[in-house]
Amino acid sequence: MRLRRGRKGLTRLAMLSVLTMTTTGCGALLLEDKGPLPPRHSGPPLPADTVVSDLTAALKAEGITLERTPQELIPTECQERLTGEHESATADTAVQAGFDRARSDHGWQSGREMGEGWLVLRKGNWTAATVLPDASGADAAQTSLIVITLMCDGGRSKSSPTDSARPSPAAS
């Protein structure tokens, strides 16, 4: 019986303190809007051609030739996709060496960890990410597909050309 009264008393005390914080405005400090977050990078934004050139040069030195996907095939603004092939048996080490070369020769920095098998680099307002190709059980005659995605800070979905031609509901 005493235990039940003790729990009721603690519950009432907790609810009273929450009510007091709400009515006095103490809780409002926790919810105050502090404005937008500062940008992740400092300095002017880098052009896409610069970052694509850096990565293609670094990986070409390791024997991987990358092709740039045309922009009309990419649904996101401020995004680039590079694809290439390399023999499966050494693809993972070649990609790793290419990313290391991008760090040492082109000024890229290690990016945020995304998990095992991922390689992530940052430079200015751009992030490059790829998954290491799996070389387990690979035959030397096979090739692995390598895909590197580059995304700039603040990238958004592109509006389709039909969206701008369509009248808005407010206009009718």
Side-chain angles (χ1 to χ4, degrees):
M1 189 62 127
R2 286 185 189 178
L3 184 60
R4 207 176 280 177
R5 274 191 229 151
R7 285 186 187 163
K8 284 183 181 179
L10 285 175
T11 305
R12 287 182 185 154
L13 182 61
M15 291 184 67
L16 182 61
S17 64
V18 168
L19 182 62
T20 304
M21 280 181 48
T22 306
T23 58
T24 60
C26 292
L29 293 175
L30 299 174
L31 300 175
E32 181 182 350
D33 184 14
K34 309 254 193 258
L37 292 172
R40 288 180 172 194
H41 69 284
S42 60
L46 293 173
D49 293 337
T50 301
V51 294
V52 167
S53 171
D54 283 356
L55 283 176
T56 54
L59 283 137
K60 187 171 186 143
E62 300 301 327
I64 301 171
T65 302
L66 296 171
E67 293 182 21
R68 190 175 184 177
T69 303
Q71 276 297 306
E72 58 268 7
L73 299 178
I74 299 175
T76 307
E77 290 177 358
C78 201
Q79 182 178 7
E80 296 288 336
R81 190 170 302 127
L82 306 173
T83 56
E85 290 183 346
H86 196 272
E87 64 182 55
S88 292
T90 59
D92 57 342
T93 56
V95 171
Q96 179 72 52
F99 270 55
D100 290 342
R101 185 178 297 273
R103 270 190 225 94
S104 63
D105 296 354
H106 299 281
W108 287 79
Q109 304 292 320
S110 294
R112 189 179 76 202
E113 284 292 319
M114 292 180 61
E116 190 175 329
W118 282 88
L119 295 176
V120 182
L121 295 176
R122 277 199 58 83
K123 183 174 183 180
N125 59 321
W126 288 88
T127 301
T130 190
V131 177
L132 284 172
D134 186 18
S136 63
D139 190 5
Q142 293 179 338
T143 58
S144 291
L145 179 65
I146 297 161
V147 179
I148 300 172
T149 303
L150 292 131
M151 177 76 85
C152 76
D153 296 343
R156 295 181 290 280
S157 295
K158 293 179 183 176
S159 59
S160 65
T162 56
D163 288 346
S164 59
R166 193 179 303 152
S168 67
S172 55

